[in-house]
Amino acid sequence: MKYLFFTNTPAQAHQYRHAVKRLGERGHDVLVLARDYGCTKALLEYHDLPYELYGECGTVKFSLVQELPKHYYKLARLARRFDPDCVFGRGSYAALAGAVTGATVVLVDDSEGTHLDHALSSLSTDVFLTPHTFGKDLGENHYEFRGFKELAYLHPETYEPSTDIRDKLGVDEDESYAIVRLNAFGSHHDVGQAGFTPERRVELVEALSEHATVFVSDEGGDMAIEQTAARPFDLHPALLHDALAEADLLVADTQTMVTEAALLGTPAIRSNSFVGDGDMGNFVDLERHGLIYNLEAFDAVLEIATELLEMDAKADWPEKRDEYLEDKVNLTDVLLDVAATPTTPERVEGISARGGGQTGPMLPFDPEKLRSDGGTRDDERANRRGDGRTNRRGDGGKR
């Protein structure tokens, strides 16, 4: 068979790279259509994947809107030339490729907020595949798996950590280090959203530097890192997960790396304008299980980050991560099984039909009672911490 995969972002390059490799090894004809955004192209080349670029996108807001018509035109032309039997991707790009070729379309999505994209995509999508925490019902062709899209490359059966990443970073074996990840907010789902201001970026780095060596990964390249106490993360982007796995803490105003940190057993703090009412189900679930913190107030970010470094929280995270992953799937295996029978996904072990008119996250708790440290508002954080200090909400107020 002929399979076409779309990688519009670096995360999607990671998400599909193992499936692309294994399908090729099985004798199938496979092609990746990629958008030159961030380090997507660098990752595809690093992992030696067969790809063609259908367009580019800058890391500034609205750059995608300007390029969209050209993207659609070129990807349609490339898709017709390749003539796939099945298309994997996300959003209207993959859906359009299926529409112009007649191929079966499988969309793997985890963003509830892209309403227009879902509406357009549904016209030519055969299978929507989402995490179990996804907060929308996309119709009778909507299936779910237990886990997240990041488990296609970070599931313990798939991910093999580097043994020399500390040497590459230039940090000692017992040296504590933190990673700060800064979002460029250049994707279509980031329009109207925001993270740390330039002033708060500097303040955050200076505060963390009092407790650990700090590496900054700045997607937009806007921060003058050399004027701070931090170091730039200047290794190949393909090594970022290895660095994240060894880190004592991640603080980010982006999305994907927070989930990645949780799945690698690293404490993570997420703070951006997505946090709050209507937040995405995957982040709610990870916080509920004590693996990440979703914080609105910057003061709370500084307080919790300092606490985590001072108490060596990293030592406890791998065990919590292992417990969380006990019932989660290896998504690459699921994708390969779906690829073998894309027109009958109900036969695939590890996924189940969603349907039923569900409109909220399929979570075994009430998100409104969630607390920023992974417990619920009925619990006392002082009990967990054992020091009797007052609770603090994600918005910086007192409970």
Side-chain angles (χ1 to χ4, degrees), residues 2-147:
K2 300 178 74 173
Y3 294 97
L4 182 64
F5 288 82
F6 276 84
T7 61
N8 302 328
T9 65
Q12 290 165 29
H14 283 299
Q15 176 182 332
Y16 289 121
R17 61 185 173 89
H18 291 290
V20 169
K21 283 275 192 179
R22 288 168 64 178
L23 286 170
E25 290 167 356
R26 295 177 182 181
H28 297 288
D29 195 359
V30 188
L31 176 65
V32 175
L33 286 187
R35 185 173 67 196
D36 190 3
Y37 173 75
C39 60
T40 303
K41 180 180 176 182
L43 291 172
L44 294 172
E45 292 180 347
Y46 183 91
H47 294 292
D48 193 26
L49 300 180
Y51 77 93
E52 289 192 53
L53 295 177
Y54 67 80
E56 61 182 16
C57 176
T59 55
V60 295
K61 289 183 178 180
F62 305 110
S63 60
L64 178 58
V65 176
Q66 299 170 1
E67 297 293 326
L68 205 55
K70 290 185 287 186
H71 288 179
Y72 284 152
Y73 173 78
K74 187 169 183 180
L75 75 85
R77 182 166 56 85
L78 292 172
R80 279 196 294 262
R81 187 179 70 189
F82 183 65
D83 193 24
D85 298 295
C86 183
V87 177
F88 281 87
R90 175 170 172 170
S92 58
Y93 290 100
L96 175 60
V100 301
T101 62
T104 302
V105 177
V106 179
L107 300 189
V108 184
D109 199 350
D110 67 346
S111 294
E112 296 96 328
T114 53
H115 305 297
L116 179 60
D117 214 22
H118 289 150
L120 295 174
S121 303
S122 65
L123 301 176
S124 57
T125 297
D126 298 280
V127 178
F128 282 106
L129 189 59
T130 69
H132 67 292
T133 57
F134 193 78
K136 289 171 65 177
D137 187 341
L138 298 176
E140 61 183 22
N141 60 344
H142 183 178
Y143 295 81
E144 67 178 25
F145 58 92
R146 288 201 63 79

